[in-house]
Amino acid sequence: MKPAENYIDINKQSWNNRTEAHIQSDFYDLKGFLAGQSSLNSIELERLGDLSGKRVLHLQCHFGMDTLSLARLGAQVTGVDFSDKAIDQANKLAAETQLDARFICCNIYDLPQQLNEQFDLVFTSYGTIGWLPDLDRWAQIVRQFLKPDGQFLFVEFHPVVWMFDDQFKSIAYSYFNTETIVETETGTYADRDADIQQDTVSWNHPISEVVNALLRNQLEITALDEFDYSPYNCFNNTTEAEPGKFRIAHLDQKLPMVYALKASIKK
């Protein structure tokens, strides 16, 4: 079987494999989170609005820190991820923090078979759609779970970032979704020295593919912003230009690194 045909199993194993390293990493700072710190960044916080009493669906939530940070803002949150090890940890964190959150373990394409509700906000962020081959199906999921007056907030690493090799020295991949990218990774972005290795299957998605998938599914884009920094130090050869703003050192402010998109159901 080709990797692209078995991508869910391969990627699920890769995320199961790295979850423990992420929990223990300084990158995620679980200790700080348990002490009351939010894991959300200013980019998404400035766009979330008042979540008091709102019902939120968080797609591809990993082990739940952002999900629970949304709950700390007053939301009733449902987090979804296909990694059973990550969801086990998310449930432990929910119990420990006693926050209003529940977690579902499934591939998001299968979510309609697991959940039959609608939400005030659907949210997903940072390193999510690259694991999905079909953005039309993704946009259908977003549309299905939004209330008629609901909002979709999507914050993601800019597709230009994924064109480069790991050291940001040369262009290694197409900006466009023209190939399935099969790689083997040693360590993980949260701990490059972690004694783990995993295979991954991913796809690059240009912004036009994202926007058109949403438009085809009756979602109207209400805002689109781009940023010349990453709030996470998850790439090689970075410099911290300001607290919490990481750029590729030799590219300075020339590279778009993150974008944020808001959408609502077209009336």
Side-chain angles (χ1 to χ4, degrees):
M1 181 178 290
K2 296 179 181 179
E5 297 172 353
N6 201 32
Y7 78 94
I8 292 175
D9 291 338
I10 293 171
N11 288 337
K12 179 178 178 178
Q13 181 57 47
S14 80
W15 284 97
N16 277 344
N17 198 33
R18 70 182 92 194
T19 295
E20 186 61 34
H22 287 186
I23 292 167
Q24 296 177 6
S25 69
D26 292 337
F27 181 97
Y28 278 98
D29 188 18
L30 181 57
K31 183 178 179 180
F33 170 79
L34 290 173
Q37 295 177 17
S38 174
S39 62
L40 298 168
N41 304 294
S42 61
I43 292 174
E44 51 267 31
L45 285 169
E46 290 169 4
R47 289 161 177 78
L48 283 168
D50 183 5
L51 294 185
S52 300
K54 298 291 182 66
R55 303 185 72 248
V56 177
L57 177 64
H58 182 193
L59 302 176
Q60 295 172 271
C61 67
H62 197 22
F63 65 91
M65 282 176 52
D66 282 2
T67 316
L68 294 167
S69 291
L70 292 166
R72 281 178 173 161
L73 295 175
Q76 179 186 352
V77 193
T78 299
V80 181
D81 200 274
F82 70 167
S83 165
D84 52 293
K85 287 191 176 181
I87 290 298
D88 284 347
Q89 179 64 28
N91 281 317
K92 290 177 184 177
L93 289 178
E96 186 170 354
T97 57
Q98 298 185 317
L99 290 165
D100 192 358
R102 62 175 170 171
F103 293 94
I104 297 171
C105 184
C106 77
N107 164 33
I108 69 163
Y109 290 148
D110 296 332
L111 188 57
Q113 285 74 57
Q114 303 287 330
L115 188 66
N116 184 26
E117 301 172 24
Q118 289 188 316
F119 296 82
D120 300 294
L121 174 74
V122 175
F123 174 70
T124 187
S125 67
Y126 301 106
T128 56
I129 60 169
W131 307 107
L132 304 176
D134 187 341
L135 289 196
D136 269 320
R137 289 179 66 191
W138 169 79
Q140 288 169 18
I141 295 295
V142 172
R143 172 65 179 81
Q144 176 174 341
F145 288 103
L146 265 186
K147 289 182 177 179
D149 59 349
Q151 295 286 324
F152 174 50
L153 175 59
F154 176 51
V155 185
E156 181 59 283
F157 293 114
H158 202 288
V160 168
V161 168
W162 303 124
M163 296 171 62
F164 288 84
D165 67 279
D166 285 347
Q167 301 302 319
F168 287 84
K169 298 295 185 181
S170 63
I171 300 296
Y173 304 98
S174 173
Y175 175 81
F176 300 99
N177 187 0
T178 58
E179 61 180 322
T180 301
I181 302 168
V182 181
E183 298 176 303
T184 299
E185 176 191 54
T186 300
T188 176
Y189 61 86
D191 182 359
R192 295 186 180 92
D193 297 322
D195 187 19
I196 54 174
Q197 179 175 295
Q198 49 273 330
D199 298 325
T200 62
V201 184
S202 62
W203 294 264
N204 285 348
H205 297 291
I207 290 178
S208 59
E209 186 182 358
V210 174
V211 168
N212 286 324
L214 295 170
L215 292 176
R216 281 192 294 270
N217 285 278
Q218 291 76 54
L219 288 160
E220 183 176 44
I221 311 302
T222 57
L224 176 60
D225 298 291
E226 298 172 287
F227 303 87
D228 62 5
Y229 68 90
S230 165
Y232 296 108
N233 189 19
C234 55
F235 301 105
N236 291 317
N237 297 327
T238 59
T239 184
E240 191 170 14
E242 301 174 34
K245 293 186 176 183
F246 298 92
R247 299 187 176 109
I248 307 305
H250 61 282
L251 294 174
D252 193 29
Q253 294 175 271
K254 299 173 183 175
L255 186 69
M257 297 193 70
V258 167
Y259 69 105
L261 179 152
K262 293 185 71 174
S264 58
I265 295 173
K266 188 174 182 181
K267 293 182 171 57

